[in-house]
Amino acid sequence: PTDTVWGIGCDATNAAAVSRVYEIKRRIDSKAMLVLLDGAGKLQGYMQQVPETAWMLLEATEGQRPLTIIYPNARNLAPNLLAEDGSVGIRITQEPFTKALCEQLHRPIVSTSANFSGEPAAKIFSDICPELLEAVDYVCEFRRDDTTSHQPSAIVKIDEKERITIIRS
């Protein structure tokens, strides 16, 4: 479970693990996946410079719908996780399970919807295809009975000149 839809995750710094997620999802690796961090203070470890615009967006949206920001010039992440232009989408998670997972690993985690590429995202656990559940290494027990339907995050992209593009509102 995440603060949005159900997801598949792995250590975002491990290229082999990232490749396995692409394989499980039947997704081409040129389509980037996003990363979850447990706190905004950790952003600086994963990009050359955090745009000032990002800090303002994070502050303005705190406590609202989850926001994924696509940042330029990512670093210290698995290379196959990054988009062709070197950017990466990062969301600061407030959801207890994923926040604790990031804290315990001391690393960011990949978060991509628990579905095969091109199929609808799993809003609740029972939406996840049994074949996908069989393909992963571990399925967490937490929140399986939760029937609250969660929505994907809003997504914005910030370029090197700090211009904002809304990808999903």
Side-chain angles (χ1 to χ4, degrees), residues 24-42:
I24 289 169
K25 283 190 60 85
R26 302 176 186 160
R27 184 174 182 173
I28 56 172
D29 65 6
S30 63
K31 190 168 180 185
M33 296 184 287
L34 69 94
V35 171
L36 296 178
L37 286 175
D38 57 316
K42 295 185 178 172

Side-chain angles (χ1 to χ4, degrees), residues 2-4 34-37 66-68 89-93 111 153:
T2 72
D3 48 352
T4 59
L34 69 94
V35 171
L36 296 178
L37 286 175
L67 174 67
T68 299
I90 298 176
R91 186 168 71 243
I92 308 303
T93 183
S111 181
S153 67

Side-chain angles (χ1 to χ4, degrees), residues 12-72:
T13 66
N14 182 322
V18 171
S19 290
R20 178 137 162 72
V21 172
Y22 279 118
E23 179 185 313
I24 289 169
K25 283 190 60 85
R26 302 176 186 160
R27 184 174 182 173
I28 56 172
D29 65 6
S30 63
K31 190 168 180 185
M33 296 184 287
L34 69 94
V35 171
L36 296 178
L37 286 175
D38 57 316
K42 295 185 178 172
L43 282 168
Q44 294 169 319
Y46 299 101
M47 64 199 69
Q48 293 174 12
Q49 181 176 352
V50 180
E52 188 60 36
T53 308
W55 295 119
M56 291 186 288
L57 281 171
L58 290 168
E59 185 177 329
T61 59
E62 189 173 346
Q64 298 180 26
R65 180 177 174 197
L67 174 67
T68 299
I69 300 176
I70 301 172
Y71 296 91

